[in-house]
Amino acid sequence: SIEVDVFLLKSDLYVGHNWLQLRKNNTIEKLYLDPLWKLFNENKGFIYQNNIPLYLLVDIKTTAGATHDILKVVLKKYKPMLTRVVSDSLIRGSVTIILSGNKPGLEDFKDKIDRFVFLDGRFSNINKNISNILMPIISIDWSDHFRWNGVGIMPKNEMIVLNNLVRKIHQEKKQLRFWASPDNKNSWSVLENAGVDLINTDKINEFSNYKIQN
């Protein structure tokens, strides 16, 4: 999975962590969608050689509705690559777009039978019978439930909380990720062993080496 922060400026979607980082031509198309499209075509319809699908989480930093409207137009150009819903049927693609941050609300999708995007859920969405065709992932702020910082052994009471969260979300056949979780080998191991599906990290090379070694 890849997470990208997106800002709507006029009619373009720029990438950056804040307004000061936005640069000409640094759009979601140039930095993410075009390179993925190139890989998709070079690999005969897949991003990875082993056919593993990719989640592209689009963290909207500007107004939800207006940003989503522009994104819908942009994504039409990449339709063959994208997971999409057509008349309530899920068609799996190599890249699944997940809206996060200032995402549209559930009510905005009630009458949308055709779409290229899905919603990133929150803790409050658990046990609400929300379809996986709309919300395949639940993302939770680590600090809302845990104090453990990734050093030493995770306290037993917090491990119970972690295991319960994983169980509840997997019962709904959704995937779980945390943001702002500890970012070291020890924490990666704990999260992976507990069954957390997507592990957030800013240490891409170190995490890749960890996965190779494990």
Side-chain angles (χ1 to χ4, degrees):
S1 65
I2 303 170
E3 184 176 5
V4 51
D5 294 344
V6 167
F7 294 77
L8 173 62
L9 183 58
K10 295 183 179 179
S11 60
D12 291 310
L13 299 174
Y14 289 91
V15 172
H17 290 301
N18 55 58
W19 285 103
L20 295 177
Q21 291 186 344
L22 304 187
R23 297 292 183 272
K24 183 179 180 180
N25 295 326
N26 280 4
T27 65
I28 190 171
E29 295 165 88
K30 295 292 185 182
L31 296 184
Y32 291 89
L33 295 174
D34 286 347
L36 288 172
W37 180 250
K38 183 173 184 289
L39 285 172
F40 174 79
N41 287 290
E42 289 176 349
N43 294 338
K44 299 179 180 179
F46 297 97
I47 302 302
Y48 297 104
Q49 295 289 354
N50 54 6
N51 302 348
I52 293 175
L54 172 71
Y55 283 124
L56 181 61
L57 290 101
V58 178
D59 192 335
I60 298 174
K61 298 300 184 182
T62 41
T63 305
T67 307
H68 180 216
D69 287 343
I70 296 297
L71 181 62
K72 284 188 290 187
V73 175
V74 169
L75 293 179
K76 286 181 180 178
K77 295 182 287 185
Y78 307 91
K79 178 179 177 179
M81 178 176 74
L82 302 177
T83 299
R84 54 198 182 277
V85 174
V86 179
S87 299
D88 282 336
S89 294
L90 182 67
I91 300 174
R92 294 196 179 278
S94 295
V95 178
T96 300
I97 305 293
I98 308 287
L99 301 186
S100 191
N102 294 334
K103 58 187 183 293
L106 288 169
E107 64 280 358
D108 295 319
F109 288 88
K110 286 181 179 178
D111 300 322
K112 302 289 192 304
I113 58 174
D114 299 332
R115 54 183 165 80
F116 297 104
V117 298
F118 302 81
L119 295 179
D120 184 20
R122 295 292 179 262
F123 180 77
S124 60
N125 296 127
I126 299 174
N127 295 327
K128 296 294 178 63
N129 295 318
I130 300 171
S131 170
N132 294 332
I133 293 181
L134 176 58
M135 185 179 290
I137 294 176
I138 297 291
S139 297
I140 298 174
D141 185 344
W142 179 263
S143 64
D144 284 348
H145 298 272
F146 308 100
R147 293 185 178 181
W148 184 62
N149 63 0
V151 177
I153 298 173
M154 189 178 198
K156 289 184 179 179
N157 62 318
E158 294 196 6
M159 183 61 74
I160 291 171
V161 173
L162 177 60
N163 288 333
N164 284 338
L165 284 172
V166 171
R167 178 180 53 79
K168 287 179 181 179
I169 290 166
H170 285 178
Q171 282 178 343
E172 297 189 16
K173 301 189 184 305
K174 291 177 167 55
Q175 296 194 43
L176 169 63
R177 78 174 182 118
F178 292 99
W179 76 81
S181 55
D183 199 7
N184 58 39
K185 291 180 180 179
N186 190 39
S187 63
W188 299 336
S189 178
V190 168
L191 293 173
E192 187 174 23
N193 290 334
V196 175
D197 303 282
L198 303 174
I199 297 177
N200 270 23
T201 182
D202 291 322
K203 303 174 181 178
I204 305 300
N205 292 330
E206 188 177 342
F207 185 78
S208 295
N209 292 332
Y210 159 81
K211 289 300 297 179
I212 291 171
Q213 295 168 5
N214 292 273

